[in-house]
Amino acid sequence: MYDVIILGAGPAGLTAGIYAARGGLNAVIVESSAVGGQASLTAEIENYPGFESVNGFELVSIMQAQCDRLGVTFVFDNPVNVSLEGEIKRVTTAASGTLEARTVIIATGALPRTLGLPNESALMGGGVSYCATCDGAFFRGKPVAVVGGGNTAVEDALYLLKFASDVWLIHRRDALRADAILADRVKSSGVKIVWDSVVTELVGENKLRALTLKNVKTGELSSLAVNGVFIAVGQTPSTAGLTGVELDGGYIVTDEEMRTALPGVFAAGDVRKKSLRQVVTATADGAIAAESAIKYLNTTR
Ligand code: NAP
């Protein structure tokens, strides 16, 4: 029996682990993939206070080491059943059995959204990618495109300039959603921005050869020859199998103390409904969620 089960080992879950352990809780973090979540795929984080620039993987590795030093248990397994209602919460994993605790912190994050094109999943690994940091180097000297107009798309496009012969940024509107500092940087970089356009077709059998683009204002179709396309059109919160918590647009609703609609259940990080999804807000959420779990245990024991 643990005091708290933390679902997810991204910056929110790892910070919750640090604060829970320092607060005297017996904490376990359950992660179905690798430590670090999306932050670990970010080559350079330039807005985490205290660091001029830090590699995302290095940053989360330090958080993991802090958890290890404080005695937080890690279970790398897929949760197949999560029971959040009732006084005792249970998380059943595929291979490690059932974990029990009186509190749960949901820090499962979000996954990249797809474009929903017919051959999109078939071309993954054949030119379609959702992670520039992971796959950018495969496109050395080749033309690539990035789809999206947010911070991720702009950062990806700037990063890909290091490798690709040409980088196009395809955005469905005539203004970027990205922060002004990044938007200004990409406009004065070598990235070629294609405004008011969406991808309607991924052309290629086993390997991507081109994109068919449609100008949403004129309806005009055009072809863009690329070997890679990096899709950065936002994220979908990872809430599958989590029943009983209130959702809004798929994201978990909490109060300022990270409490969900269920007693003893808290949420932190990108999976939570909030206005700013950054490493710094994820870590802040994780700290608050752990403190709230401590308070909950102290008042209900
Ligand atoms: P985002 O901010 O939600 O932006 C998604 C972009 O994709 C938008 O420009 C959107 O267009 C476009 N889009 C959505 N669906 C589309 C579709 N079906 N076809 C074509 N385009 C589509 O997502 P994000 O860039 O991944 O960022 C997610 C969160 O992480 C944000 O809060 C962001 O600030 C944060 N983040 C921060 C940093 C940083 O500060 N360094 C880095 C990465 C991410 P519209 O603009 O027209 O809606």
Side-chain angles (χ1 to χ4, degrees):
M1 183 85 167
Y2 290 93
D3 293 315
V4 59
I5 299 170
I6 298 162
L7 298 175
L14 293 170
T15 308
I18 293 167
Y19 276 73
R22 286 175 60 91
L25 301 193
N26 185 13
V28 57
I29 298 180
V30 182
E31 169 59 55
S32 57
S33 162
V35 164
Q38 298 210 69
S40 64
L41 306 177
T42 307
E44 280 176 80
I45 297 174
E46 292 181 344
N47 54 6
Y48 192 73
F51 294 86
E52 286 288 344
S53 173
V54 61
N55 174 278
F57 181 73
E58 279 171 25
L59 182 64
V60 294
S61 298
I62 297 168
M63 296 180 196
Q64 182 184 14
Q66 286 175 287
C67 284
D68 283 336
R69 217 169 28 248
L70 289 162
V72 176
T73 302
F74 282 86
V75 170
F76 291 97
D77 203 346
N78 206 15
V80 288
N81 190 51
V82 179
S83 163
L84 299 174
E85 284 161 81
E87 200 192 328
I88 306 297
K89 326 292 180 195
R90 291 185 178 84
V91 175
T92 304
T93 60
S96 313
T98 297
L99 309 170
E100 291 185 341
R102 288 179 54 230
T103 61
V104 168
I105 296 172
I106 303 167
T108 43
L111 286 172
R113 208 181 279 150
T114 66
L115 289 178
L117 293 169
N119 52 349
E120 191 170 341
S121 59
L123 282 171
M124 269 179 71
V128 171
S129 172
Y130 302 85
C131 177
T133 326
C134 319
D135 300 328
F138 295 127
F139 296 91
R140 207 174 285 276
K142 294 182 175 158
V144 300
V146 177
V147 184
N151 281 331
T152 304
V154 168
E155 285 189 345
D156 285 358
L158 290 167
Y159 176 74
L160 288 163
L161 282 175
K162 291 185 197 174
F163 309 101
S165 59
D166 303 270
V167 180
W168 281 275
L169 180 65
I170 298 153
H171 184 36
R172 64 184 179 183
R173 289 191 291 128
D174 60 3
L176 294 170
R177 178 176 294 279
D179 295 346
I181 188 168
L182 282 172
D184 289 346
R185 202 181 295 167
V186 78
K187 283 177 195 164
S188 58
S189 72
V191 172
K192 290 166 260 194
I193 306 181
V194 184
W195 300 106
D196 299 313
S197 296
V198 292
V199 179
T200 56
E201 192 188 0
L202 302 167
V203 183
E205 287 293 316
N206 301 316
K207 290 235 176 285
L208 183 72
R209 287 188 288 109
L211 306 176
T212 304
L213 305 183
K214 180 181 171 187
N215 184 303
V216 293
K217 286 192 173 154
T218 64
E220 190 187 329
L221 294 177
S222 61
S223 179
L224 182 66
V226 288
N227 295 109
V229 63
F230 291 84
I231 296 166
V233 296
Q235 298 155 5
T236 305
S238 301
T239 55
L242 302 174
T243 51
V245 289
E246 186 192 343
L247 301 179
D248 182 345
Y251 292 93
I252 298 176
V253 178
T254 70
D255 65 8
E256 282 187 6
E257 307 303 321
M258 309 300 141
R259 288 181 291 226
T260 70
L262 291 173
V265 179
F266 309 87
D270 283 5
V271 74
R272 191 171 80 82
K273 179 176 159 46
K274 58 187 202 171
S275 59
L276 185 62
R277 293 191 175 81
Q278 303 271 294
V279 178
V280 70
T281 60
T283 55
D285 283 4
I288 295 167
E291 286 299 309
S292 294
I294 293 166
K295 276 188 207 143
Y296 174 85
L297 289 167
N298 286 341
T299 52
T300 58
R301 245 190 258 264

